[in-house]
């Protein structure tokens, strides 16, 4: 260092950092030139040059940076947000003042110790400013406190709040507004500090940008704050399925959020200079990342509520379209499939949910996912567990058929009413030069299954009816169940609407074909023919009208076309037999060479009951009417005696007597002894009970089907093959399931059945000890 007083005085005045001072006095150019000459003469330029940087590094490390980070103390509970804002602003302003001081010192160093006079080995390369800024940034990072982000976050939170209120419709914080306070700065209306906060925010970011530490200090916090605001904005869309939100979210992000970020990084201005390409790229990258985050958050929000979206479809179609758009921009399909599949399994596939509700959810999922994915690849993957679960429920077939043709409206009935999909031209739309939608053409996905590609190429929409029928993989099962259901309705309704049933039948023909439903055509014709025959037999010209007097109306069925009736018998009372015989003779005289075979358990009987002076007309089943007739002839019956009289098993008879017990007419005085109630004190109660019941209501237990179910009929058909199976196992000793199935298909192909159906039969034979299953093969038990 210089040993003369004048040189030392000039050195301390020009570079106060040597005295550990951070304020400089004004200096003239002559004084700088004079100091330069003195140092050059004394050959001290290199020594001063190196000492200057050593001193700056020491001050930065032990004074400037520690003081800056000491401002970032923990927030007190009672400290307002605006106090934290001012605290951060002052800390940055102080740091910038010291940064500017060192930059001015470097300018003086360029004059006092020019680079050309410094030996190359001592120079700071590439230049002194770059070296200083690098050390400045390094020192800041080296002493970074753990919790400094808290104060930074509060600063930008307040600033963003003011910006939102000042540059948007102000809806962001309407929930915290008070009548006499500013929403943004939380000050009274007369002392609003929004403009001052906005100015301080702009200047603070400008200081950070000029020091080159804006991204290092605020980058993480800005990203965190904006992600929180995106989360809050997306959460506002929850449970609002009927409206599309993608466009409004994109607009909010591209305007409000990106304008705020642009002002931060562009020193308060919205217009980026064309020459600032690096800044333009940085803003574009941030916009792309935030859009990706927004799509991901919004997509996950929709997926989390997808069960409600399925149930509310098509009202929720906008949400499905939004999800489809989001998934086209982010890779979330695998997660979507897994989440929705697990959601449906949890909400639907357990014993507590009725089969009709599961079926409703399944159809709703099919419709929703078919709109979401026209290729049906995701649809089939997601709904596969529901399909398998429904296949194992015995009442699924009946629920499906009831939904097709039930009295109420259902999704399946609506789908059936739509008819077949429109035929598609053999020429693919992608091959047509005049395709009006050619701008939206997309190539086939490279990782899609051939079946899905074929489905897309055929330009078909997903057929909900076919997918529901595909639960069992066979149309015959559904057609047989519909035939049973149709037979029940025709037998149970006194006045059946043939026109309505014909309409349903025609719709089903369009789906299942006329050949499968030919029997149903004959059944409906039987109804019309029966009405005509009844009208003739009961007409005055027939000669039998006086004998029958309108007491019998028969439904004459073609037995080979109707489903199998339940194998139950009942001995009719003598009076009823006589009426049936008279009707049979009248029919034989009208239809030569034909006769009638009655099924006495089917149909409805209108009876008039007179009990203790009160008359009640009721519509009951033939079995209930027969019981009433027997009790009118004899007021007391033992269960076994009445069972023999009616030729009906006691357990079945007891169930049917319960109906008259519920009407208050019959009472079980002791076990298996039933008595007609005739006491006046009890008759009043019974009469009131009779009045409380609708005339056309039978007991719930009696609402059983007169026909065998499709599953019962199927069971009987498969039982036919038991003799084949016994012969196979006798000759071949043991066989696995698939081998038995193949051999039956080869040698007994009259009935088409699945391997699962065969397995069900074989397992039942195992439980009956007629087969042994071990080691994956079936064999006959050893005698």
């Amino acid at each position: 260092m210089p040993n003369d007083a004048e040189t030392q005085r000039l050195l301390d005045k020009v570079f106060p950092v040597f005295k550990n001072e951070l304020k400089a006095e004004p200096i003239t150019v002559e004084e700088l030139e004079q100091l330069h000459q003195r140092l050059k003469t004394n050959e001290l330029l290199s020594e001063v040059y190196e000492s200057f940087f050593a001193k700056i590094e020491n001050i930065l490390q032990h004074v400037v940076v520690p003081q800056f980070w000491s401002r970032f103390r923990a927030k007190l509970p009672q400290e307002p947000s605006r106090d934290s804002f001012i605290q951060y602003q002052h800390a940055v302003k102080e740091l910038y003042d010291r940064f500017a001081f060192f930059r001015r010192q470097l300018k003086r160093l360029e004059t006092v110790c020019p680079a050309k006079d410094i030996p190359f080995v001592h120079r700071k390369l590439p230049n002194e400013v770059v070296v200083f800024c690098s050390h400045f940034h390094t020192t800041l990072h080296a002493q970074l406190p753990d919790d400094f982000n808290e104060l930074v976050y509060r600063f930008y939170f307040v600033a963003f709040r003011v910006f939102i209120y000042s540059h948007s419709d102000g809806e962001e914080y309407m929930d915290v507004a008070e009548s006499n306070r500013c929403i943004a700065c939380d000050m009274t209306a007369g002392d609003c500090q929004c403009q001052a906060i906005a100015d301080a925010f702009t200047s603070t970011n400008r200081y950070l940008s000029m020091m080159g530490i804006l991204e290092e200090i605020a980058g993480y916090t800005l990203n965190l704050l904006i992600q929180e605001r995106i989360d809050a904005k997306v959460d506002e869309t929850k449970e609002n399925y009927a409206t599309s939100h993608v466009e409004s979210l994109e607009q909010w992000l591209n305007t409000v959020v990106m304008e705020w970020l642009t002002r931060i990084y562009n020193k308060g201005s919205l217009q980026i200079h064309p020459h600032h390409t690096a800044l333009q790229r940085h803003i574009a990258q941030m916009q792309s990342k935030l859009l990706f985050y927004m799509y991901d958050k919004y997509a996950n929000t929709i997926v989390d509520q997808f069960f409600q979206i399925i149930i509310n479809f098509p009202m929720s179609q906008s949400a499905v379209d939004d999800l489809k758009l989001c998934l086209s921009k982010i890779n979330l399909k695998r997660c979507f499939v897994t989440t929705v599949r697990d959601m449906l399994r949890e909400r639907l596939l357990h014993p507590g949910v009725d089969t009709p509700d599961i079926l409703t959810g399944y159809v709703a999922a099919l419709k929703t996912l078919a709109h979401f994915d026209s290729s049906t690849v995701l649809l089939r993957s997601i709904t596969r567990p529901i399909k398998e679960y429904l296949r194992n429920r015995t009442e699924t077939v009946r629920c499906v058929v009831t939904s097709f043709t039930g009295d109420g409206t259902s999704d399946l009935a609506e789908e059936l009413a739509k008819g077949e999909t429109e035929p598609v031209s053999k020429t693919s739309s992608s091959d047509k030069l005049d395709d009006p939608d050619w701008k939206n053409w997309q190539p086939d996905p490279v990782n899609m299954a051939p079946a899905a590609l074929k489905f897309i190429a055929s330009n078909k929409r997903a057929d909900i009816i076919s997918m529901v029928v595909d639960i069992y993989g066979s149309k015959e099962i559904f057609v047989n169940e519909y035939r049973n259901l149709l037979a029940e309705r025709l037998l149970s309704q006194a006045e059946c609407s043939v026109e309505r049933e014909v309409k349903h039948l025609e719709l089903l023909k369009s789906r299942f074909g006329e050949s499968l439903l030919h029997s149903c055509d004959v059944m409906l014709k039987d109804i019309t023919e029966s009405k005509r025959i009844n009208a003739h037999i009961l007409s005055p010209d027939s000669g039998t009208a006086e004998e029958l007097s309108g007491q019998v109306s028969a439904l004459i069925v073609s037995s080979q076309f109707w489903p199998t009736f339940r194998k139950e018998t009942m001995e009719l009372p003598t009076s009823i037999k006589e009426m049936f015989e008279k009707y049979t003779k009248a029919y034989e005289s009208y239809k030569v060479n034909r006769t009638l075979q009655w099924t006495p358990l089917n149909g409805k009987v209108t009876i008039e009951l007179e009990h203790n002076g009160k008359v009640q007309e009721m519509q009951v089943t033939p079995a209930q009417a027969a019981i009433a007739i027997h009790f009118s002839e004899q007021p007391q019956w033992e269960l076994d005696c009445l069972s023999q009289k009616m030729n009906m098993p006691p357990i079945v008879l007891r169930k049917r007597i319960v109906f008259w017990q519920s009407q208050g007419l019959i009472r079980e005085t002791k076990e298996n002894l039933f008595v007609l109630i005739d006491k006046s004190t009890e008759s009043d109660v019974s009469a009131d009970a009779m009045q409380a019941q609708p005339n056309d209501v039978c007991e719930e237990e009696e609402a059983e089907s007169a026909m065998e179910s499709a599953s019962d009929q199927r069971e009987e058909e498969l039982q036919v093959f038991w003799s084949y199976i016994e012969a196979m196992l006798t000759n071949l000793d043991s066989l696995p399931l698939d081998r038995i199935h193949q051999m039956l298909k080869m040698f007994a192909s009259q009935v088409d059945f699945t391997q699962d159906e065969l397995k069900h039969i074989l397992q039942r034979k195992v439980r009956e000890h007629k087969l042994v299953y071990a080691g994956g093969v079936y064999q006959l038990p050893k005698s």
Side-chain angles (χ1 to χ4, degrees):
M1 297 301 290
N3 51 11
D4 62 289
E6 181 61 21
T7 302
Q8 186 65 48
R9 183 189 67 79
L10 286 173
L11 188 62
D12 291 341
K13 184 177 181 180
V14 174
F15 300 114
V17 292
F18 286 120
K19 299 186 297 180
N20 295 323
E21 294 180 4
L22 298 178
K23 290 185 179 180
E25 301 177 17
I27 199 76
T28 63
V29 176
E30 290 76 10
E31 288 176 318
L32 292 175
E33 289 294 337
Q34 184 180 359
L35 179 59
H36 169 70
Q37 291 299 328
R38 285 179 174 273
L39 293 177
K40 187 175 182 179
T41 301
N42 295 323
E43 297 182 352
L44 294 174
L45 288 176
S46 296
E47 183 178 352
V48 169
Y49 183 86
E50 292 185 352
S51 298
F52 175 83
F53 281 99
K55 196 66 177 178
I56 284 182
E57 291 175 3
N58 184 269
I59 294 175
L60 282 174
Q61 185 172 355
H62 296 97
V63 179
V64 175
V65 172
Q67 288 182 1
F68 174 68
W69 289 127
S70 67
R71 304 290 191 270
F72 293 77
R73 58 179 176 80
K75 178 185 177 183
L76 299 176
Q78 69 276 10
E79 184 179 348
S81 297
R82 61 179 180 276
D83 291 348
S84 301
F85 182 92
I86 296 172
Q87 179 183 351
Y88 178 80
Q89 175 198 357
H90 288 170
V92 173
K93 178 64 168 62
E94 181 184 50
L95 181 65
Y96 175 75
D97 288 342
R98 293 181 173 182
F99 177 83
F101 165 76
F102 288 128
R103 288 297 308 273
R104 290 192 295 271
Q105 291 283 283
L106 286 172
K107 290 293 290 181
R108 294 182 180 183
L109 184 67
E110 290 179 7
T111 304
V112 175
C113 301
K116 60 183 179 62
D117 295 334
I118 304 299
F120 184 81
V121 294
H122 297 299
R123 286 185 195 170
K124 303 296 181 182
L125 300 176
N127 57 60
E128 292 77 6
V129 174
V130 171
V131 172
F132 163 74
C133 289
S134 176
H135 186 72
F136 178 74
H137 298 162
T138 302
T139 307
L140 278 173
H141 286 139
Q143 300 183 26
L144 194 70
D146 295 335
D147 55 352
F148 87 100
N149 279 318
E150 183 179 349
L151 187 61
V152 179
Y153 178 89
R154 293 199 296 272
F155 173 83
Y156 285 101
F157 178 82
V158 173
F160 191 63
R161 185 186 185 106
V162 171
F163 180 82
I164 290 292
Y165 181 67
S166 303
H167 295 81
S168 68
D169 53 13
E171 294 180 355
E172 293 281 329
Y173 299 95
M174 287 302 292
D175 56 333
V176 297
E178 296 181 9
S179 58
N180 62 339
R181 304 188 74 84
C182 175
I183 299 173
C185 65
D186 199 30
M187 298 290 290
T188 58
D191 298 327
C192 179
Q193 299 292 319
C194 288
Q195 187 58 49
I197 289 175
D199 294 341
F201 173 73
T202 301
S203 62
T204 301
N205 287 314
R206 184 182 295 111
Y207 293 149
L208 290 172
S209 180
M210 293 173 68
M211 289 186 286
I213 58 173
L214 177 59
E215 186 64 28
E216 288 82 354
I217 298 295
Y220 171 80
T221 303
L222 286 173
N223 189 62
L224 177 64
L225 175 62
I226 291 173
Q227 286 184 1
E228 289 179 358
R229 290 309 310 149
I230 291 175
D231 292 348
K233 195 74 175 177
V234 170
D235 286 342
E236 294 173 6
T237 67
K238 285 184 177 179
E239 300 183 3
N240 187 2
Y241 318 123
T243 306
S244 174
H245 301 284
V246 169
E247 186 176 348
S248 61
L249 289 172
E250 288 176 343
Q251 183 179 5
W252 172 80
L253 183 66
N254 292 331
T255 54
V256 177
V257 175
M258 293 313 302
E259 283 184 10
W260 188 62
L261 285 176
T262 302
R263 290 177 183 273
I264 292 174
Y265 286 95
N266 198 35
K267 302 177 181 178
S269 175
L270 278 176
Q271 300 297 326
I272 302 177
H273 196 277
H275 297 300
H276 295 166
T277 56
L279 179 58
Q280 290 175 351
R281 285 196 303 271
H282 184 63
I283 296 294
Q285 289 174 356
M286 287 193 297
Q287 183 178 19
S288 177
K289 291 179 181 178
L290 292 176
L291 278 171
F292 184 90
Y293 180 84
M294 185 198 71
Y295 290 134
D296 181 78
K297 174 66 179 178
Y298 186 43
N300 278 290
T301 300
I302 296 176
V303 171
D304 290 342
Q305 337 171 62
F306 208 74
F307 185 79
Q308 288 76 16
I309 290 173
I310 287 174
I311 299 302
N312 288 285
F313 192 84
M315 186 192 74
S316 58
Q317 180 175 326
S318 297
V320 179
D321 291 335
D322 282 356
L323 178 62
K324 188 175 181 179
L325 177 62
C326 290
L327 293 186
S328 68
K329 299 177 180 294
I330 59 177
N331 186 19
L332 201 65
K333 283 191 177 181
R334 185 183 298 273
C335 176
F336 167 72
V337 170
T338 304
T339 303
V340 176
R341 184 194 295 146
D342 292 344
M343 188 181 298
L344 291 172
R345 183 184 289 114
E346 179 183 351
R347 299 293 291 271
L348 293 178
L349 307 187
H350 55 83
V353 184
D354 294 335
T355 301
D357 295 333
I358 299 177
L359 186 62
T360 300
Y362 178 58
V363 174
L366 290 178
K367 294 174 69 175
T368 306
L369 294 169
H371 177 78
F372 177 81
D373 174 31
S374 60
S375 71
T376 73
V377 175
L378 297 182
L379 180 153
R380 296 177 189 277
S381 176
I382 291 172
T383 59
R384 185 183 299 115
I386 309 180
K387 176 180 172 182
E388 295 172 353
Y389 187 84
L390 283 172
R391 184 184 297 132
N392 294 324
R393 283 208 171 189
T394 55
E395 67 273 27
T396 298
V397 179
R398 172 147 294 217
C399 290
V400 172
V401 176
T402 304
S403 298
F404 282 154
T405 60
D407 294 331
T409 58
S410 67
D411 290 338
L412 284 178
E414 292 176 0
E415 288 293 325
L416 184 64
K418 291 178 182 178
E420 285 283 5
T421 55
E422 295 180 0
V424 183
S425 173
K426 293 182 179 180
T427 305
S428 175
S429 60
S430 60
D431 296 333
K432 295 180 180 179
L433 298 177
D434 57 347
D435 184 4
D437 197 35
W438 62 271
K439 289 185 178 180
N440 297 324
W441 176 86
Q442 293 290 335
D444 293 335
V446 296
N447 58 345
M448 188 170 289
L453 292 176
K454 184 178 179 181
F455 185 90
I456 296 175
S458 64
N459 199 24
K460 292 182 180 178
R461 66 177 180 87
D463 186 358
I464 305 300
I465 299 293
S466 298
M467 292 181 180
V468 171
V469 172
D470 193 47
I471 291 175
Y472 286 91
S474 172
K475 294 180 180 180
E476 287 77 5
I477 294 177
F478 289 92
V479 170
N480 289 338
E481 190 64 41
Y482 168 69
R483 194 160 62 110
N484 287 344
L485 198 62
L486 177 62
E488 289 177 14
R489 282 206 293 265
L490 297 178
L491 291 173
S492 62
Q493 298 176 14
E495 293 294 332
C496 180
S497 174
V498 178
E499 294 77 9
R500 176 175 173 272
E501 297 299 340
V502 169
K503 178 182 177 182
H504 285 150
L505 181 59
E506 291 301 322
L507 290 173
L508 289 171
K509 283 181 181 179
S510 67
R511 291 284 181 171
F512 300 105
E514 294 193 11
S515 59
L516 289 176
L517 292 162
H518 174 66
S519 296
C520 299
D521 266 332
V522 176
M523 291 164 62
L524 292 177
K525 289 177 182 178
D526 284 346
I527 298 296
T528 305
E529 183 69 10
S530 297
K531 289 180 179 179
R532 189 181 64 80
I533 293 173
N534 282 319
H536 173 78
I537 292 177
L538 298 177
S539 66
D541 299 336
S542 65
T544 58
E546 293 182 1
E547 296 180 7
L548 295 172
S549 64
Q551 293 181 337
V552 179
S553 177
L555 171 59
I556 303 168
V557 302
S558 305
S559 58
Q560 66 269 33
F561 293 100
W562 283 66
T564 306
F565 289 92
R566 287 190 181 274
K567 298 175 178 60
E568 293 185 31
T569 60
M570 180 180 71
E571 188 71 21
L572 292 170
T574 305
S575 58
I576 304 299
K577 276 185 179 180
E578 291 176 354
M579 285 191 295
F580 281 5
E581 289 172 359
K582 291 177 183 179
Y583 191 97
T584 302
K585 290 179 180 179
Y587 178 79
E588 290 173 348
S589 64
Y590 176 60
K591 292 281 189 178
V592 182
N593 298 327
R594 293 189 184 183
T595 189
L596 296 177
Q597 182 180 352
W598 297 87
T599 56
L601 283 173
N602 299 323
K604 292 294 179 183
V605 179
T606 301
I607 61 175
E608 188 177 273
L609 293 176
E610 183 179 353
H611 189 248
N612 293 328
K614 294 185 179 181
V615 179
Q616 176 76 18
E617 186 178 279
M618 302 182 70
Q619 188 179 80
V620 296
T621 65
Q624 291 166 349
I627 292 171
I629 291 173
H630 287 300
F631 272 92
S632 69
E633 297 172 350
Q634 179 180 321
Q636 179 174 305
W637 285 92
E638 288 187 356
L639 184 63
D640 290 339
C641 293
L642 186 58
S643 172
Q644 293 177 4
K645 180 76 174 177
M646 296 182 64
N647 190 23
M648 184 179 294
I651 189 171
V652 177
L653 178 60
R654 171 180 284 278
K655 184 175 69 171
R656 285 167 175 159
I657 291 177
V658 169
F659 172 76
W660 293 116
Q661 289 180 284
S662 68
Q663 299 295 321
L665 295 177
I666 296 176
R667 184 175 61 184
E668 187 175 9
T669 56
K670 62 180 181 179
E671 187 176 1
N672 294 332
L673 180 62
F674 295 91
V675 178
L676 182 67
I677 299 173
D678 58 357
K679 294 180 181 180
S680 59
T681 55
E682 297 176 350
S683 62
D684 294 336
V685 177
S686 65
D688 293 339
M690 291 170 63
Q691 293 291 341
Q693 295 290 335
N695 291 342
D696 58 346
V697 174
C698 294
E699 188 199 6
E700 182 179 352
E701 285 81 1
E702 284 298 336
E704 58 188 11
S705 172
M707 323 304 299
E708 287 187 347
S709 68
S711 58
D712 293 337
Q713 296 176 42
R714 187 66 168 171
E715 195 85 357
E716 290 184 6
E717 291 175 348
L718 293 174
Q719 287 296 331
V720 174
F721 298 102
W722 173 238
S723 58
Y724 288 95
I725 297 171
E726 282 186 307
M728 289 181 202
L729 296 177
T730 301
N731 295 328
L732 301 176
D733 187 46
S734 62
L735 288 172
L737 174 65
D738 57 346
R739 181 63 175 158
I740 296 174
H741 184 250
Q742 290 173 4
M743 293 181 70
L744 284 176
K745 294 280 284 184
M746 185 182 302
F747 299 109
S749 58
Q750 302 95 309
V751 178
D752 185 20
F753 53 89
T754 65
Q755 190 167 305
D756 287 338
E757 290 174 319
L758 176 62
K759 181 180 180 181
H760 178 72
I761 295 296
L762 295 179
Q763 290 299 108
R764 196 174 72 175
K765 295 298 181 182
V766 171
R767 290 193 295 271
E768 294 173 356
H769 304 290
K770 294 181 179 179
L771 276 182
V772 175
Y773 180 73
V777 296
Y778 293 92
Q779 57 186 356
L780 295 173
K782 304 298 181 181
S783 56

